[in-house]
Each structure stands twice: as C-alpha cells, then as structure tokens.
Amino acid sequence: TPDDDYATNPQRVQHRHSVNLMLQERIGEFDRDKLLEALAQKAVPAGAVKNMAEVFGHAETRRCLVRGRYVSQIGWDEPGRASERDLLDPPRLIGQHDIEFKR
C-alpha cells in the first residue's frame, strides 16, 4: 500500500518528492499564524518563511536598516555606533583619505 512507502525514515527519504507534495498540500490548508501557534503549543520547532515585504515590514528589521548615500544596506544601527554609518558610504572623492594613510 502507499502508506507502507512512508513507514520508515529511509522510505520517506526514498519517496521525498511525493512526501513534499503531500506536506505542501496539507500545510496549505492552514492559516500560517494559527498553524505556527498550534505547533508552538506542542513544542514543535517551526517558523514562517517570509517574503521580503514581510521581512522589511518588521520593526526589528527596520531598526537594523542603515541608509547609505547610494544604496540601502543592512547593518546594526546601534546607539553610540553612528559613526560606522559613514563606513558604509564610498569615499566622496577618489583618494580622499590618501594623506591620512601616507602619514
């Protein structure tokens, strides 16, 4: 029977493609937040796979976003470390720091 194909871990690995299809179909029937809550109540480790809008919409991520002059970059924007922001920007002029390095 088909269920016998999944009785042991080696069998599930052997039939990985069909196992993944079944899991995707079944998991797709649930609301993500409700499913994660139910799994947490059972102490099953799980986490949401988020799209980029969800990632950058999170307050903690926005706190870590450092805006450079030319591109947005991810980095820790912690109090007392604001001077590191300047390190993310390219030099304003070619050779701008040459004199300092030649000393």
Side-chain angles (χ1 to χ4, degrees), residues 10-24:
Q11 289 171 311
R12 290 188 292 274
V13 170
Q14 181 181 355
H15 298 96
R16 177 179 305 166
H17 181 72
S18 59
V19 170
N20 286 341
L21 290 175
M22 286 188 295
L23 286 172
Q24 286 176 349

Side-chain angles (χ1 to χ4, degrees), residues 1-2 13 47 54 59 64 82-83 91 98-99:
T1 67
V13 170
E54 291 171 314
C64 299
S83 63
D98 285 356
I99 295 171

